[in-house]
Amino acid sequence: MTRLQRMFRISWVFCRYRLDIFLPIAELPGPLKLFFLLAPWHLFPQPKLDRGDRLRLALEELGPVFVKFGQILSTRRDLLPDDMADSLKTLQDRVPPFPSDVARNIIEKSLGAPVSELFKEFSAAPLASASVAQVHAATLLNGQEVVVKVLRPGIEKVIHQDLALMYLMANLLEKYWTEGKRLHPVDVVADYDSTIHDELDLQREAANASQLRRNFENSPLIYIPFIDWDYTRKSVMVMERIHGIPIADVPALKAAGVNLKVLAEKGVEIFFTQVFRDSFFHADMHPGNIFVDVSNPADPKYIAIDFGIVGTLAPDDQSYLARNLLAFFRRDYRQVAQLHIQSGWVPPDTRVNEFEAAIRTVCEPIFEKPLKDISFGHFLLRLFQTARRFNMEVQPQLVLLQKTLLNVEGLGRQLYPELDLWSTAQPFLESWMRKRIGPAGLIKSLQTHLPSWLEQSPEMPQLVHDALLQLRGAGPTEKQNQDTLALLREQQRRTDRRWRRGITALALVAAAIIGTQPEALMWAENAPLWTWALLAASGVLVIRGSR
């Protein structure tokens, strides 16, 4: 009955805002087309609103799950026209708070004690109320000011019901819409499914916060509040309360004498540091989640909250992304085209020359403008729109990155309109690439992988021996089996010698670099004892491998 009521409610809102304008009715089979042409929404008048506002208002009326989905969808300009994306971008968490006594009950049930025994003070009125949780101010027994985040009651049930309907609609779109297979609406809903379920586990959010705090410990760029793990559970999280000026309050920042140029450039540095140094980035950096520490106005510091959504990139995606961006900076459009094909972002049969020409057509008019007049985020969007013509599929691993970059650039330009994101980003990317492929990168790779190689080396003869034993009896005669085994053993001995010599060669290269490169020499002086022990073990392999 509950599901039927929810379905009726969604249908009513759908009809009220005449969202049938989004349905690909002309592409549907005959029976379905006839059904939709006779559907009851035709009894409702067309609202005097554009399509983006219709969708936004409908999502707001349907509640927190659809509001959150609209917020995420607003970042998918590769899927939506600009007018709709701009309208959805204005979505806010307009969810009324749930009663404070309900919040207290959830806290007491999760932490196993009365609120009066857990906190010295607890504010009944919430500081904020969002889609999936609300936040209350409190003071611990030791006097530490904290905020208590409480998961919205019953939200999981609502989410499961709404996600089931979203999957149904996405499957219909993917099956009957000509653009469905390329844009993967089911995958989009699946991404949202994963994202919102991550936000339903406050312990996961706390773990994300702890990781980011370690990554930026004692950093002059950003401060991450600490998590009190003794008071944190799946439905409750207690975090240090921070005090700062909301980053969207530019007049207050100016009144405090904050150097907005430094603040904007630090935002860019934080983003690229998270993506390329750590491969772990805060992916929900909208203005409501960012504050500014103005205790030193000449050198301001960011403060971040709300860590429910984080993003990561695989090493291959990191490398392709960095090389793509650097190729853009250098106007090497052919390399951009080749990298898109090599990475699998466009089909392997894409004609490089045609793709290169299309990219040049998009980029050249932009590069003729002063760098300060170029929006890096919109430039990427234009590129994705061009790639769409070449059947570039949606890349889920880049979605959060794109969203975060747009947020960072939007914040930066709001703070300092002259922000030149390109010139700020290029030195960082070039430095990262040098470290990755230069001597330091090679040494780091050796330091990372050599121990595991050596650990596995004693197992290799046993693995080969086990494989040889399995071959016994596979041949027609015992004599043939013995000859085959003898041949395989000799090949294994040769392979073993080559393998040892390969490891040795890597160690010798590292030693040569240490002797010729200043930065490597500095590393060598501070290298731990186990590293030198591994190099000594490589020397033993030389002797053994020469036998």
mmCIF file of all heavy atoms in Angstrom, residues 498-538:
data_model
loop_
_atom_site.group_PDB
_atom_site.id
_atom_site.type_symbol
_atom_site.label_atom_id
_atom_site.label_comp_id
_atom_site.label_asym_id
_atom_site.label_seq_id
_atom_site.Cartn_x
_atom_site.Cartn_y
_atom_site.Cartn_z
ATOM 1 N N ARG A 498 66.705 -15.164 -15.957
ATOM 2 C CA ARG A 498 66.349 -13.880 -16.576
ATOM 3 C C ARG A 498 65.600 -12.995 -15.580
ATOM 4 O O ARG A 498 65.807 -11.790 -15.515
ATOM 5 C CB ARG A 498 65.476 -14.109 -17.809
ATOM 6 C CG ARG A 498 66.191 -14.801 -18.954
ATOM 7 C CD ARG A 498 65.344 -14.724 -20.225
ATOM 8 N NE ARG A 498 65.871 -15.578 -21.263
ATOM 9 C CZ ARG A 498 65.378 -16.758 -21.594
ATOM 10 N NH1 ARG A 498 64.303 -17.228 -20.937
ATOM 11 N NH2 ARG A 498 65.907 -17.485 -22.548
ATOM 12 N N TRP A 499 64.716 -13.605 -14.831
ATOM 13 C CA TRP A 499 63.916 -12.834 -13.855
ATOM 14 C C TRP A 499 64.821 -12.195 -12.805
ATOM 15 O O TRP A 499 64.693 -11.033 -12.465
ATOM 16 C CB TRP A 499 62.904 -13.774 -13.222
ATOM 17 C CG TRP A 499 62.024 -13.115 -12.190
ATOM 18 C CD1 TRP A 499 60.905 -12.402 -12.404
ATOM 19 C CD2 TRP A 499 62.221 -13.141 -10.778
ATOM 20 N NE1 TRP A 499 60.379 -11.968 -11.219
ATOM 21 C CE2 TRP A 499 61.159 -12.400 -10.206
ATOM 22 C CE3 TRP A 499 63.184 -13.719 -9.935
ATOM 23 C CZ2 TRP A 499 61.044 -12.221 -8.836
ATOM 24 C CZ3 TRP A 499 63.057 -13.539 -8.579
ATOM 25 C CH2 TRP A 499 62.004 -12.798 -8.041
ATOM 26 N N ARG A 500 65.789 -12.984 -12.277
ATOM 27 C CA ARG A 500 66.706 -12.441 -11.273
ATOM 28 C C ARG A 500 67.537 -11.307 -11.852
ATOM 29 O O ARG A 500 67.770 -10.288 -11.200
ATOM 30 C CB ARG A 500 67.620 -13.546 -10.757
ATOM 31 C CG ARG A 500 66.902 -14.591 -9.885
ATOM 32 C CD ARG A 500 67.851 -15.697 -9.512
ATOM 33 N NE ARG A 500 67.195 -16.733 -8.752
ATOM 34 C CZ ARG A 500 67.426 -18.037 -8.903
ATOM 35 N NH1 ARG A 500 68.298 -18.435 -9.809
ATOM 36 N NH2 ARG A 500 66.805 -18.910 -8.158
ATOM 37 N N ARG A 501 67.990 -11.528 -13.085
ATOM 38 C CA ARG A 501 68.815 -10.481 -13.681
ATOM 39 C C ARG A 501 68.008 -9.214 -13.947
ATOM 40 O O ARG A 501 68.523 -8.101 -13.874
ATOM 41 C CB ARG A 501 69.432 -11.004 -14.979
ATOM 42 C CG ARG A 501 70.529 -12.040 -14.722
ATOM 43 C CD ARG A 501 70.916 -12.777 -15.983
ATOM 44 N NE ARG A 501 71.966 -13.754 -15.708
ATOM 45 C CZ ARG A 501 72.326 -14.717 -16.546
ATOM 46 N NH1 ARG A 501 71.704 -14.830 -17.716
ATOM 47 N NH2 ARG A 501 73.280 -15.552 -16.228
ATOM 48 N N GLY A 502 66.699 -9.396 -14.279
ATOM 49 C CA GLY A 502 65.852 -8.220 -14.476
ATOM 50 C C GLY A 502 65.714 -7.410 -13.204
ATOM 51 O O GLY A 502 65.823 -6.180 -13.201
ATOM 52 N N ILE A 503 65.487 -8.108 -12.084
ATOM 53 C CA ILE A 503 65.404 -7.423 -10.791
ATOM 54 C C ILE A 503 66.714 -6.719 -10.488
ATOM 55 O O ILE A 503 66.751 -5.586 -10.010
ATOM 56 C CB ILE A 503 65.067 -8.427 -9.676
ATOM 57 C CG1 ILE A 503 63.678 -9.012 -9.878
ATOM 58 C CG2 ILE A 503 65.178 -7.774 -8.296
ATOM 59 C CD1 ILE A 503 62.570 -8.018 -9.701
ATOM 60 N N THR A 504 67.815 -7.419 -10.788
ATOM 61 C CA THR A 504 69.129 -6.829 -10.527
ATOM 62 C C THR A 504 69.339 -5.578 -11.352
ATOM 63 O O THR A 504 69.872 -4.568 -10.882
ATOM 64 C CB THR A 504 70.226 -7.862 -10.842
ATOM 65 O OG1 THR A 504 70.001 -9.029 -10.050
ATOM 66 C CG2 THR A 504 71.602 -7.291 -10.542
ATOM 67 N N ALA A 505 68.915 -5.640 -12.627
ATOM 68 C CA ALA A 505 69.074 -4.479 -13.496
ATOM 69 C C ALA A 505 68.327 -3.275 -12.948
ATOM 70 O O ALA A 505 68.835 -2.147 -12.945
ATOM 71 C CB ALA A 505 68.582 -4.805 -14.906
ATOM 72 N N LEU A 506 67.121 -3.507 -12.451
ATOM 73 C CA LEU A 506 66.360 -2.408 -11.857
ATOM 74 C C LEU A 506 67.088 -1.827 -10.660
ATOM 75 O O LEU A 506 67.141 -0.610 -10.463
ATOM 76 C CB LEU A 506 64.977 -2.900 -11.436
ATOM 77 C CG LEU A 506 63.992 -3.217 -12.563
ATOM 78 C CD1 LEU A 506 62.718 -3.821 -11.989
ATOM 79 C CD2 LEU A 506 63.665 -1.961 -13.349
ATOM 80 N N ALA A 507 67.659 -2.693 -9.830
ATOM 81 C CA ALA A 507 68.391 -2.211 -8.664
ATOM 82 C C ALA A 507 69.615 -1.405 -9.083
ATOM 83 O O ALA A 507 69.947 -0.377 -8.481
ATOM 84 C CB ALA A 507 68.802 -3.394 -7.791
ATOM 85 N N LEU A 508 70.327 -1.872 -10.143
ATOM 86 C CA LEU A 508 71.506 -1.144 -10.614
ATOM 87 C C LEU A 508 71.130 0.212 -11.190
ATOM 88 O O LEU A 508 71.852 1.204 -11.012
ATOM 89 C CB LEU A 508 72.243 -1.986 -11.661
ATOM 90 C CG LEU A 508 72.893 -3.266 -11.122
ATOM 91 C CD1 LEU A 508 73.494 -4.070 -12.267
ATOM 92 C CD2 LEU A 508 73.969 -2.933 -10.089
ATOM 93 N N VAL A 509 69.990 0.269 -11.904
ATOM 94 C CA VAL A 509 69.518 1.564 -12.412
ATOM 95 C C VAL A 509 69.262 2.520 -11.256
ATOM 96 O O VAL A 509 69.630 3.692 -11.293
ATOM 97 C CB VAL A 509 68.242 1.380 -13.254
ATOM 98 C CG1 VAL A 509 67.600 2.723 -13.559
ATOM 99 C CG2 VAL A 509 68.567 0.656 -14.558
ATOM 100 N N ALA A 510 68.616 1.986 -10.209
ATOM 101 C CA ALA A 510 68.356 2.826 -9.039
ATOM 102 C C ALA A 510 69.657 3.324 -8.429
ATOM 103 O O ALA A 510 69.787 4.489 -8.041
ATOM 104 C CB ALA A 510 67.557 2.038 -8.007
ATOM 105 N N ALA A 511 70.649 2.432 -8.356
ATOM 106 C CA ALA A 511 71.932 2.847 -7.789
ATOM 107 C C ALA A 511 72.590 3.922 -8.648
ATOM 108 O O ALA A 511 73.181 4.882 -8.133
ATOM 109 C CB ALA A 511 72.848 1.631 -7.666
ATOM 110 N N ALA A 512 72.474 3.781 -9.980
ATOM 111 C CA ALA A 512 73.059 4.786 -10.865
ATOM 112 C C ALA A 512 72.385 6.135 -10.696
ATOM 113 O O ALA A 512 73.031 7.190 -10.668
ATOM 114 C CB ALA A 512 72.946 4.318 -12.322
ATOM 115 N N ILE A 513 71.070 6.102 -10.549
ATOM 116 C CA ILE A 513 70.328 7.354 -10.357
ATOM 117 C C ILE A 513 70.726 8.017 -9.042
ATOM 118 O O ILE A 513 70.939 9.218 -8.959
ATOM 119 C CB ILE A 513 68.817 7.084 -10.399
ATOM 120 C CG1 ILE A 513 68.404 6.652 -11.796
ATOM 121 C CG2 ILE A 513 68.028 8.309 -9.976
ATOM 122 C CD1 ILE A 513 66.980 6.179 -11.893
ATOM 123 N N ILE A 514 70.874 7.173 -8.008
ATOM 124 C CA ILE A 514 71.253 7.710 -6.702
ATOM 125 C C ILE A 514 72.599 8.417 -6.785
ATOM 126 O O ILE A 514 72.836 9.434 -6.136
ATOM 127 C CB ILE A 514 71.287 6.577 -5.657
ATOM 128 C CG1 ILE A 514 69.869 6.111 -5.364
ATOM 129 C CG2 ILE A 514 71.983 7.000 -4.379
ATOM 130 C CD1 ILE A 514 69.788 4.893 -4.489
ATOM 131 N N GLY A 515 73.478 7.886 -7.632
ATOM 132 C CA GLY A 515 74.802 8.491 -7.738
ATOM 133 C C GLY A 515 74.862 9.740 -8.587
ATOM 134 O O GLY A 515 75.838 10.485 -8.517
ATOM 135 N N THR A 516 73.822 9.975 -9.418
ATOM 136 C CA THR A 516 73.910 11.101 -10.363
ATOM 137 C C THR A 516 72.870 12.180 -10.144
ATOM 138 O O THR A 516 73.029 13.296 -10.621
ATOM 139 C CB THR A 516 73.764 10.578 -11.812
ATOM 140 O OG1 THR A 516 72.513 9.903 -11.936
ATOM 141 C CG2 THR A 516 74.900 9.621 -12.158
ATOM 142 N N GLN A 517 71.783 11.875 -9.458
ATOM 143 C CA GLN A 517 70.708 12.842 -9.310
ATOM 144 C C GLN A 517 70.693 13.396 -7.879
ATOM 145 O O GLN A 517 70.624 12.632 -6.919
ATOM 146 C CB GLN A 517 69.353 12.198 -9.615
ATOM 147 C CG GLN A 517 69.247 11.655 -11.034
ATOM 148 C CD GLN A 517 69.258 12.785 -12.054
ATOM 149 O OE1 GLN A 517 68.795 13.881 -11.780
ATOM 150 N NE2 GLN A 517 69.802 12.510 -13.225
ATOM 151 N N PRO A 518 70.737 14.703 -7.718
ATOM 152 C CA PRO A 518 70.750 15.293 -6.372
ATOM 153 C C PRO A 518 69.538 14.900 -5.533
ATOM 154 O O PRO A 518 69.674 14.560 -4.365
ATOM 155 C CB PRO A 518 70.764 16.810 -6.663
ATOM 156 C CG PRO A 518 71.316 16.934 -8.039
ATOM 157 C CD PRO A 518 70.879 15.714 -8.772
ATOM 158 N N GLU A 519 68.337 14.941 -6.160
ATOM 159 C CA GLU A 519 67.152 14.626 -5.373
ATOM 160 C C GLU A 519 67.139 13.169 -4.956
ATOM 161 O O GLU A 519 66.689 12.808 -3.875
ATOM 162 C CB GLU A 519 65.881 14.964 -6.150
ATOM 163 C CG GLU A 519 65.728 14.190 -7.443
ATOM 164 C CD GLU A 519 64.420 14.533 -8.153
ATOM 165 O OE1 GLU A 519 63.650 15.339 -7.621
ATOM 166 O OE2 GLU A 519 64.191 13.976 -9.234
ATOM 167 N N ALA A 520 67.686 12.289 -5.833
ATOM 168 C CA ALA A 520 67.768 10.879 -5.482
ATOM 169 C C ALA A 520 68.802 10.655 -4.384
ATOM 170 O O ALA A 520 68.631 9.819 -3.498
ATOM 171 C CB ALA A 520 68.122 10.050 -6.722
ATOM 172 N N LEU A 521 69.907 11.404 -4.449
ATOM 173 C CA LEU A 521 70.936 11.289 -3.421
ATOM 174 C C LEU A 521 70.374 11.687 -2.058
ATOM 175 O O LEU A 521 70.638 11.056 -1.036
ATOM 176 C CB LEU A 521 72.132 12.179 -3.784
ATOM 177 C CG LEU A 521 73.370 12.055 -2.866
ATOM 178 C CD1 LEU A 521 73.886 10.632 -2.870
ATOM 179 C CD2 LEU A 521 74.441 13.033 -3.317
ATOM 180 N N MET A 522 69.548 12.733 -2.069
ATOM 181 C CA MET A 522 68.908 13.167 -0.821
ATOM 182 C C MET A 522 68.017 12.058 -0.276
ATOM 183 O O MET A 522 67.996 11.786 0.921
ATOM 184 C CB MET A 522 68.085 14.435 -1.074
ATOM 185 C CG MET A 522 67.470 15.024 0.186
ATOM 186 S SD MET A 522 66.490 16.503 -0.199
ATOM 187 C CE MET A 522 67.752 17.502 -1.003
ATOM 188 N N TRP A 523 67.288 11.408 -1.199
ATOM 189 C CA TRP A 523 66.441 10.296 -0.770
ATOM 190 C C TRP A 523 67.283 9.162 -0.199
ATOM 191 O O TRP A 523 66.969 8.563 0.818
ATOM 192 C CB TRP A 523 65.617 9.790 -1.942
ATOM 193 C CG TRP A 523 64.918 8.484 -1.643
ATOM 194 C CD1 TRP A 523 63.731 8.318 -1.034
ATOM 195 C CD2 TRP A 523 65.400 7.168 -1.940
ATOM 196 N NE1 TRP A 523 63.440 6.988 -0.920
ATOM 197 C CE2 TRP A 523 64.438 6.255 -1.466
ATOM 198 C CE3 TRP A 523 66.563 6.675 -2.539
ATOM 199 C CZ2 TRP A 523 64.592 4.893 -1.584
ATOM 200 C CZ3 TRP A 523 66.716 5.314 -2.662
ATOM 201 C CH2 TRP A 523 65.745 4.432 -2.193
ATOM 202 N N ALA A 524 68.412 8.862 -0.879
ATOM 203 C CA ALA A 524 69.253 7.745 -0.467
ATOM 204 C C ALA A 524 69.806 7.954 0.936
ATOM 205 O O ALA A 524 69.914 7.020 1.728
ATOM 206 C CB ALA A 524 70.394 7.558 -1.471
ATOM 207 N N GLU A 525 70.152 9.194 1.250
ATOM 208 C CA GLU A 525 70.710 9.481 2.566
ATOM 209 C C GLU A 525 69.698 9.204 3.676
ATOM 210 O O GLU A 525 70.066 8.870 4.795
ATOM 211 C CB GLU A 525 71.171 10.943 2.631
ATOM 212 C CG GLU A 525 72.386 11.218 1.737
ATOM 213 C CD GLU A 525 72.745 12.693 1.723
ATOM 214 O OE1 GLU A 525 71.971 13.490 2.274
ATOM 215 O OE2 GLU A 525 73.793 13.053 1.147
ATOM 216 N N ASN A 526 68.405 9.367 3.345
ATOM 217 C CA ASN A 526 67.365 9.191 4.355
ATOM 218 C C ASN A 526 66.593 7.881 4.195
ATOM 219 O O ASN A 526 65.584 7.675 4.863
ATOM 220 C CB ASN A 526 66.378 10.361 4.297
ATOM 221 C CG ASN A 526 67.060 11.688 4.589
ATOM 222 O OD1 ASN A 526 67.592 11.894 5.664
ATOM 223 N ND2 ASN A 526 67.045 12.582 3.610
ATOM 224 N N ALA A 527 67.043 7.035 3.281
ATOM 225 C CA ALA A 527 66.322 5.784 3.014
ATOM 226 C C ALA A 527 66.371 4.869 4.237
ATOM 227 O O ALA A 527 67.394 4.799 4.929
ATOM 228 C CB ALA A 527 66.937 5.067 1.805
ATOM 229 N N PRO A 528 65.284 4.155 4.521
ATOM 230 C CA PRO A 528 65.276 3.239 5.666
ATOM 231 C C PRO A 528 66.205 2.059 5.440
ATOM 232 O O PRO A 528 66.559 1.718 4.295
ATOM 233 C CB PRO A 528 63.809 2.799 5.740
ATOM 234 C CG PRO A 528 63.266 3.026 4.380
ATOM 235 C CD PRO A 528 64.010 4.203 3.823
ATOM 236 N N LEU A 529 66.570 1.394 6.531
ATOM 237 C CA LEU A 529 67.527 0.296 6.462
ATOM 238 C C LEU A 529 67.032 -0.843 5.587
ATOM 239 O O LEU A 529 67.809 -1.468 4.864
ATOM 240 C CB LEU A 529 67.800 -0.210 7.893
ATOM 241 C CG LEU A 529 68.824 -1.363 8.016
ATOM 242 C CD1 LEU A 529 70.184 -0.906 7.498
ATOM 243 C CD2 LEU A 529 68.936 -1.801 9.477
ATOM 244 N N TRP A 530 65.699 -1.100 5.611
ATOM 245 C CA TRP A 530 65.188 -2.236 4.839
ATOM 246 C C TRP A 530 65.374 -2.024 3.348
ATOM 247 O O TRP A 530 65.515 -2.979 2.575
ATOM 248 C CB TRP A 530 63.726 -2.514 5.167
ATOM 249 C CG TRP A 530 62.747 -1.471 4.723
ATOM 250 C CD1 TRP A 530 62.277 -0.443 5.456
ATOM 251 C CD2 TRP A 530 62.143 -1.347 3.432
ATOM 252 N NE1 TRP A 530 61.419 0.321 4.730
ATOM 253 C CE2 TRP A 530 61.307 -0.206 3.478
ATOM 254 C CE3 TRP A 530 62.209 -2.078 2.247
ATOM 255 C CZ2 TRP A 530 60.568 0.203 2.387
ATOM 256 C CZ3 TRP A 530 61.460 -1.671 1.153
ATOM 257 C CH2 TRP A 530 60.653 -0.538 1.234
ATOM 258 N N THR A 531 65.407 -0.743 2.910
ATOM 259 C CA THR A 531 65.613 -0.474 1.484
ATOM 260 C C THR A 531 67.005 -0.930 1.043
ATOM 261 O O THR A 531 67.180 -1.553 -0.005
ATOM 262 C CB THR A 531 65.437 1.025 1.218
ATOM 263 O OG1 THR A 531 64.153 1.430 1.692
ATOM 264 C CG2 THR A 531 65.543 1.320 -0.271
ATOM 265 N N TRP A 532 67.993 -0.614 1.881
ATOM 266 C CA TRP A 532 69.359 -1.044 1.531
ATOM 267 C C TRP A 532 69.496 -2.555 1.644
ATOM 268 O O TRP A 532 70.265 -3.167 0.883
ATOM 269 C CB TRP A 532 70.363 -0.341 2.448
ATOM 270 C CG TRP A 532 70.403 1.136 2.200
ATOM 271 C CD1 TRP A 532 69.966 2.124 3.010
ATOM 272 C CD2 TRP A 532 70.869 1.777 1.008
ATOM 273 N NE1 TRP A 532 70.128 3.347 2.416
ATOM 274 C CE2 TRP A 532 70.693 3.172 1.186
ATOM 275 C CE3 TRP A 532 71.426 1.329 -0.181
ATOM 276 C CZ2 TRP A 532 71.041 4.105 0.222
ATOM 277 C CZ3 TRP A 532 71.780 2.244 -1.150
ATOM 278 C CH2 TRP A 532 71.592 3.612 -0.952
ATOM 279 N N ALA A 533 68.761 -3.144 2.545
ATOM 280 C CA ALA A 533 68.784 -4.604 2.644
ATOM 281 C C ALA A 533 68.262 -5.238 1.365
ATOM 282 O O ALA A 533 68.784 -6.258 0.890
ATOM 283 C CB ALA A 533 67.952 -5.061 3.842
ATOM 284 N N LEU A 534 67.233 -4.603 0.751
ATOM 285 C CA LEU A 534 66.702 -5.122 -0.515
ATOM 286 C C LEU A 534 67.735 -5.003 -1.627
ATOM 287 O O LEU A 534 67.879 -5.891 -2.473
ATOM 288 C CB LEU A 534 65.427 -4.370 -0.880
ATOM 289 C CG LEU A 534 64.202 -4.667 -0.003
ATOM 290 C CD1 LEU A 534 63.045 -3.765 -0.396
ATOM 291 C CD2 LEU A 534 63.807 -6.118 -0.142
ATOM 292 N N LEU A 535 68.470 -3.889 -1.640
ATOM 293 C CA LEU A 535 69.506 -3.728 -2.664
ATOM 294 C C LEU A 535 70.602 -4.778 -2.475
ATOM 295 O O LEU A 535 71.145 -5.316 -3.443
ATOM 296 C CB LEU A 535 70.091 -2.316 -2.599
ATOM 297 C CG LEU A 535 69.151 -1.186 -3.016
ATOM 298 C CD1 LEU A 535 69.817 0.163 -2.804
ATOM 299 C CD2 LEU A 535 68.735 -1.346 -4.472
ATOM 300 N N ALA A 536 70.932 -5.076 -1.216
ATOM 301 C CA ALA A 536 71.921 -6.123 -0.956
ATOM 302 C C ALA A 536 71.408 -7.473 -1.436
ATOM 303 O O ALA A 536 72.154 -8.273 -2.010
ATOM 304 C CB ALA A 536 72.249 -6.177 0.538
ATOM 305 N N ALA A 537 70.112 -7.718 -1.198
ATOM 306 C CA ALA A 537 69.526 -8.974 -1.676
ATOM 307 C C ALA A 537 69.597 -9.067 -3.191
ATOM 308 O O ALA A 537 69.798 -10.138 -3.756
ATOM 309 C CB ALA A 537 68.079 -9.075 -1.210
ATOM 310 N N SER A 538 69.461 -7.914 -3.864
ATOM 311 C CA SER A 538 69.582 -7.912 -5.324
ATOM 312 C C SER A 538 70.984 -8.325 -5.739
ATOM 313 O O SER A 538 71.181 -9.006 -6.750
ATOM 314 C CB SER A 538 69.261 -6.522 -5.868
ATOM 315 O OG SER A 538 67.950 -6.159 -5.551
#
